[in-house]
């Protein structure tokens, strides 16, 4: 099985914390859609005819695409790749783009999962983040989506911002669970270099994030969502039974995927490739029939470290047999020794096949993975 990711690099305005590749100019949107269709035609051999079980429109803001543009891309994928009839087709959408008419168009095209960038249900926070939508949009888009029959719905929420008290964080979570949403992705606010937020903090125009606050709100989140019946299946993701993200879960299992669009990454099990993060250069290359990508063959050590990092972030954790298939005997011994240290510190627990993080370990997932690297 395999997945396809499509990067749509357009946004109405720039969120202060975002460092993804995007532009607020829609001038090249039509040309970029044409280039995506061309790239899909040129890269048919990458997945080696594996059935495609997930398609994910990310960005940027894919919900800015017109129905005809989405249709052209999906037609190209279905023409060139063996997309399963029951594939999970996810579209990231901003609340202010969601209307009853657009929801019906998306359903008609086969989109069966929406990922909505709500981030907060409070006006003050949304303005602080420089989001394009309002608190009214945040609630209204969920109500419209549910009424349109999108039961496979996920929203993003952000915690750990200077404006977010624990009480308000609880309100955000309660509103989301009150709608019966089946999947939540919750992220700590991160200050990325070269973002407006990073620059504002550097000029002392904004308060920096409080790591203690973020840790506390993450622990509270785990407690609240467990009580509400959600499964914490990856550090930043919670789902009701049967509603895990199939696309993202495939990433964490090392399933091959093809990334189309500027800045998109691909992985086929042996090498990683990535497209140039420049819309004009991307479009020009595809117009000339060239792929605007670079490639890196992964070493055994890189594949092992990547497995350790990704697996440790999931609720299932590290399968020692899978790690052993990539590690030398000496490396296996060192990995087991370090895991025993984590076990004594209460950061991991034993599973039938290996070790998984405890709630305390979830707070330090990336750092613990780095300690395991060979």
């Amino acid at each position: 099985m395999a997945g396809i990711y499509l990067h749509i690099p357009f946004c109405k305005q720039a969120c202060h914390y975002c460092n993804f590749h995007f532009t607020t100019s829609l001038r090249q949107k039509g040309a970029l859609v044409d280039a995506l269709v061309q790239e899909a035609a040129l890269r048919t051999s990458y997945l080696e005819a594996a059935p495609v079980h997930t398609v994910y429109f990310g960005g940027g803001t894919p919900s800015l695409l017109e129905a005809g543009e989405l249709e052209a891309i999906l037609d190209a994928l279905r023409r060139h790749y063996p997309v399963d009839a029951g594939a999970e087709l996810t579209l990231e959408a901003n609340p202010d783009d969601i209307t009853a008419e657009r929801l019906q168009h998306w359903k008609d095209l086969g989109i069966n999962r929406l990922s909505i960038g709500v981030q907060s249900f409070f006006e003050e926070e949304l303005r602080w983040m420089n989001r394009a939508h309002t608190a009214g949009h945040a609630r209204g888009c969920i109500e419209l989506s549910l009424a349109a029959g999108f039961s496979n719905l996920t929203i993003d929420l952000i915690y750990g911002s200077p404006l977010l008290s624990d009480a308000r964080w609880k309100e955000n979570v309660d509103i989301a669970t009150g709608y019966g949403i089946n999947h939540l992705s919750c992220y700590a606010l991160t200050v990325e270099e070269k973002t407006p937020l990073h620059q504002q903090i550097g000029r002392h125009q904004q308060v920096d994030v409080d790591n203690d606050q973020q840790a506390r709100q993450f622990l509270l989140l785990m407690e609240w969502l467990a009580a509400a019946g959600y499964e914490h299946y990856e550090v930043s993701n919670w789902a009701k039974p049967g509603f895990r993200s199939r696309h993202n879960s495939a990433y964490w299992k090392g399933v091959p995927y093809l990334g189309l669009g500027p800045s998109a990454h691909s992985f086929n099990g042996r090498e990683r490739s990535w497209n140039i993060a420049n819309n004009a250069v991307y479009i020009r290359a595809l117009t000339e029939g060239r792929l605007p990508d670079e490639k890196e063959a992964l070493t055994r050590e890189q594949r092992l470290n990547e497995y350790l990092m990704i697996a440790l972030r999931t609720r299932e954790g590290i399968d020692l047999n899978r790690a052993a298939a990539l590690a030398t005997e000496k490396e296996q011994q060192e990995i087991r020794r370090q895991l025993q240290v984590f076990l004594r510190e209460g950061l991991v627990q034993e599973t039938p096949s290996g070790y998984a993080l405890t709630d305390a370990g979830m707070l330090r997932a990336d750092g613990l993975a780095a300690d395991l690297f060979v």
Side-chain angles (χ1 to χ4, degrees):
M1 304 294 280
I4 295 177
Y5 171 82
L6 302 109
H7 190 79
I8 310 299
F10 302 105
C11 290
K12 287 181 181 176
Q13 62 190 50
C15 300
H16 285 165
Y17 55 85
C18 181
N19 73 335
F20 293 163
H21 171 65
F22 71 94
T23 177
T24 55
S25 169
L26 303 185
R27 186 172 54 85
Q28 293 180 306
K29 185 157 66 78
L32 190 128
V33 169
D34 291 342
L36 272 172
V37 169
Q38 175 71 354
E39 187 184 5
L42 291 176
R43 301 195 70 181
T44 53
S45 63
Y46 190 83
L47 297 176
E48 299 177 347
V52 173
H53 74 304
T54 65
V55 174
Y56 193 104
F57 286 87
T61 312
S63 53
L64 287 176
L65 294 180
E66 300 300 329
E69 293 169 330
L70 273 173
E71 184 176 12
I73 296 169
L74 284 168
D75 282 351
L77 296 184
R78 289 168 174 143
R79 185 164 62 250
H80 296 299
Y81 300 89
V83 179
D84 286 353
E88 176 191 88
L89 271 61
T90 302
L91 178 80
E92 286 186 354
N94 274 357
D96 48 306
D97 292 330
I98 294 177
T99 65
E101 182 181 16
R102 281 186 169 179
L103 288 164
Q104 188 57 56
H105 284 322
W106 296 339
K107 287 189 73 175
D108 291 345
L109 292 173
I111 302 295
N112 51 31
R113 185 174 184 269
L114 293 182
S115 177
I116 305 178
V118 169
Q119 315 310 353
S120 175
F121 291 100
F122 293 96
E123 200 72 37
E124 184 183 16
E125 273 199 287
L126 293 171
R127 287 198 304 269
W128 185 86
M129 296 176 193
N130 202 40
R131 296 290 294 174
H133 68 278
T134 65
H137 287 136
R139 288 175 178 265
C141 71
I142 294 172
E143 293 163 6
L144 282 172
S145 300
L146 293 172
F150 280 95
S151 59
N152 200 353
L153 190 67
T154 179
I155 68 168
D156 291 350
L157 293 174
I158 289 179
Y159 61 90
S161 75
L163 299 185
L164 189 66
S165 66
D166 293 352
R168 179 157 283 187
W169 180 222
K170 181 69 161 63
E171 287 184 73
N172 267 325
V173 175
D174 284 348
I175 292 169
T177 57
Y179 278 116
I181 293 168
N182 288 310
H183 189 284
L184 297 173
S185 295
C186 302
Y187 303 101
L189 178 70
T190 304
V191 181
E192 303 284 0
E193 290 189 6
K194 300 181 181 178
T195 62
L197 179 59
H198 181 263
Q199 295 164 1
Q200 291 163 4
I201 291 172
R203 292 193 296 262
H204 306 290
Q205 295 170 328
Q206 292 287 357
V207 179
D208 203 350
V209 299
D210 182 331
N211 292 330
D212 291 338
Q213 173 203 5
Q214 292 195 335
R216 183 178 65 253
Q217 290 182 350
F218 181 65
L219 291 170
L220 287 169
L221 178 65
M222 287 192 283
E223 176 186 326
W224 297 333
L225 291 182
Y230 289 81
E231 175 190 23
H232 190 186
Y233 72 102
E234 193 271 343
V235 169
S236 301
N237 289 274
W238 286 258
K240 290 287 185 70
F243 285 92
R244 291 188 180 194
S245 166
R246 287 164 53 190
H247 185 83
N248 289 340
S249 294
Y251 288 156
W252 304 323
K253 293 175 181 176
V255 173
Y257 60 89
L258 171 64
L260 304 175
S263 82
H265 284 59
S266 303
F267 172 70
N268 63 6
R270 302 177 303 279
E271 68 176 22
R272 191 169 302 286
S273 66
W274 55 95
N275 285 341
I276 191 165
N278 181 300
N279 293 353
V281 175
Y282 171 84
I283 291 168
R284 185 166 61 250
L286 270 306
T287 301
E288 297 171 354
R290 296 182 291 107
L291 291 175
D293 64 338
E294 296 183 49
K295 297 181 176 65
E296 175 190 26
L298 299 177
T299 66
R300 178 191 63 79
E301 291 86 355
Q302 285 175 314
R303 287 184 289 136
L304 173 59
N305 288 341
E306 189 161 302
Y307 170 71
L308 294 171
M309 179 179 67
I310 294 173
L312 197 62
R313 291 180 61 90
T314 68
R315 181 54 70 185
E316 286 71 30
I318 292 171
D319 183 329
L320 290 176
N321 289 325
R322 283 195 63 182
L326 292 167
T328 65
E329 186 63 36
K330 184 178 179 180
E331 289 167 348
Q332 291 178 53
Q333 292 173 4
E334 180 57 26
I335 290 168
R336 289 175 182 271
R337 185 199 66 77
Q338 187 62 61
L339 286 167
Q340 283 296 312
V341 173
F342 295 161
L343 185 65
R344 291 193 295 272
E345 294 175 348
L347 300 172
V348 300
Q349 55 196 343
E350 292 186 88
T351 69
S353 60
Y355 294 85
L357 293 174
T358 61
D359 285 354
M362 286 279 185
L363 278 169
R364 298 171 50 188
D366 292 341
L368 297 181
D371 288 342
L372 293 172
F373 286 172
V374 301

